[in-house]
Amino acid sequence: MVAIVDSGSTKTDWVILDDFKKVFLKTETIGFNPNFINKELIVPEIEKNNSLASVKNSITRIFFYGSGCGIQKNCETIEEELSKVFANASITVKEDLMAAAYAAYDGKPAIVCIMGTGSNSCYFDGKNLKIKLPSLGFLMGDEGSGSAIGKQLVRRYFMQKLPEDLHREFEETYQLTIDEALKNMYHTTRPNAYLADFNKFVVERKEHPYFQQMVFDEMMNFFDYQVLPYEEAKNAEINFIGSIAYYYENILRSAAAELNLNVGHVVQKPIESLVNYHIKYIL
């Protein structure tokens, strides 16, 4: 059996293929970004998933693509922890941008962007991945991401910048205190996921003019910092992977149009396209 795994900061999608390259099972665990999660939590999180536990000895190959795995040390950490569960498997660990490139590939070169809890970008010509810009994480980067939009919302709430109706609804929904917010941002293992979770509030009210402008500005930041530096940006199709791009697709496309950029595919969950790519090109 072969496991194809796409892991973000919030959740991890697993697809197990049988010996005939057919889907045997699909399941989820929490995200395994090594920059945020304690590595000692990875094995217990996998083992408490009954579906994975039932096939762990039958899996002979694992293709793991994860956020935070653009650093070799983090790749080694993930490989080491996975090997403790899947003792019979050959394990390949690559960064999530590679998964996004594979999932978005339709036969022609394109700029590929991740816009979920975090954000990132690359250029993929079908064989080679070009990453021109570093991933600075949610403290200094991740423009356009769930954590960036969540950070804007929480900041504007506490700084009395939200319109009266949105301020009141936020207060009624969360009853959030500054102490609680700071604790979750500075003293938990997954602060970026905590901030990204506030997108539920924005998505439910995304037609509100204030949020239309707030999200539009954040999308413009994304294009400015993570797309325009690529010389291919003006001509290549720009494809997006991730829930934030999916939920705010209309605003995303409006921001791109403002810059005369061509947005192609917007895919919420890349796992199915990623599996198809492996079946067609790798397995």
Side-chain angles (χ1 to χ4, degrees), residues 202-217:
V202 181
V203 168
E204 289 170 359
R205 298 160 179 82
K206 65 181 179 180
E207 300 305 322
H208 193 292
Y210 185 86
F211 282 156
Q212 286 271 315
Q213 189 64 52
M214 186 181 85
V215 175
F216 180 87
D217 291 344

Side-chain angles (χ1 to χ4, degrees), residues 14-17 22-27 49 51-52 54-55:
W14 299 72
V15 173
I16 312 300
L17 302 179
K22 302 295 183 183
V23 175
F24 181 77
L25 70 86
K26 299 179 181 179
T27 190
N49 182 297
S51 296
L52 293 176
S54 69
V55 297

Side-chain angles (χ1 to χ4, degrees), residues 21-82:
K21 301 181 184 179
K22 302 295 183 183
V23 175
F24 181 77
L25 70 86
K26 299 179 181 179
T27 190
E28 284 186 9
T29 60
I30 66 168
F32 294 142
N33 186 331
N35 290 328
F36 298 109
I37 190 171
N38 185 330
K39 70 174 186 177
E40 294 177 0
L41 294 177
I42 295 176
V43 171
E45 286 291 334
I46 295 173
E47 290 185 332
K48 75 181 185 183
N49 182 297
N50 293 332
S51 296
L52 293 176
S54 69
V55 297
K56 66 180 183 179
N57 294 323
S58 300
I59 293 176
T60 57
R61 294 181 74 184
I62 297 176
F63 296 93
F64 183 100
Y65 302 89
S67 57
C69 291
I71 302 171
Q72 183 59 33
K73 182 179 179 181
N74 286 350
C75 290
E76 292 169 359
T77 295
I78 293 293
E79 182 177 353
E80 179 183 353
E81 296 307 308
L82 291 178

Side-chain angles (χ1 to χ4, degrees), residues 71-230:
I71 302 171
Q72 183 59 33
K73 182 179 179 181
N74 286 350
C75 290
E76 292 169 359
T77 295
I78 293 293
E79 182 177 353
E80 179 183 353
E81 296 307 308
L82 291 178
S83 67
K84 294 176 182 178
V85 180
F86 305 101
N88 300 321
S90 169
I91 301 168
T92 300
V93 179
K94 296 183 179 180
E95 63 183 302
D96 55 349
L97 270 176
M98 186 62 79
Y102 288 162
Y105 185 65
D106 63 357
K108 59 178 182 251
I111 290 177
V112 180
C113 305
I114 293 174
M115 192 177 279
T117 299
S119 66
N120 214 335
S121 63
C122 67
Y123 179 75
F124 186 58
D125 65 6
K127 292 183 179 179
N128 301 305
L129 194 72
K130 180 171 81 172
I131 302 172
K132 186 170 184 175
L133 306 163
S135 176
L136 297 178
F138 83 106
L139 286 176
M140 291 193 293
D142 281 354
E143 297 83 7
S145 68
S147 62
I149 294 170
K151 186 192 301 182
Q152 285 281 5
L153 175 62
V154 173
R155 178 172 178 263
R156 294 182 186 202
Y157 169 71
F158 283 118
M159 301 307 290
Q160 306 286 316
K161 293 292 186 182
L162 294 178
E164 184 179 344
D165 57 334
L166 293 178
H167 185 95
R168 183 178 63 255
E169 289 176 24
F170 185 94
E171 191 170 53
E172 291 171 353
T173 301
Y174 295 105
Q175 283 125 36
L176 185 65
T177 66
I178 187 66
D179 288 345
E180 180 185 352
L182 292 175
K183 177 182 176 183
N184 281 287
M185 285 187 284
Y186 290 100
H187 301 287
T188 60
T189 57
R190 300 164 70 218
N192 59 336
Y194 168 74
L195 288 169
D197 197 47
F198 287 103
N199 272 274
K200 295 175 184 176
F201 185 87
V202 181
V203 168
E204 289 170 359
R205 298 160 179 82
K206 65 181 179 180
E207 300 305 322
H208 193 292
Y210 185 86
F211 282 156
Q212 286 271 315
Q213 189 64 52
M214 186 181 85
V215 175
F216 180 87
D217 291 344
E218 195 57 46
M219 296 305 171
M220 292 292 280
N221 282 339
F222 175 84
F223 285 119
D224 187 24
Y225 280 90
Q226 300 207 40
V227 173
L228 290 178
Y230 286 92

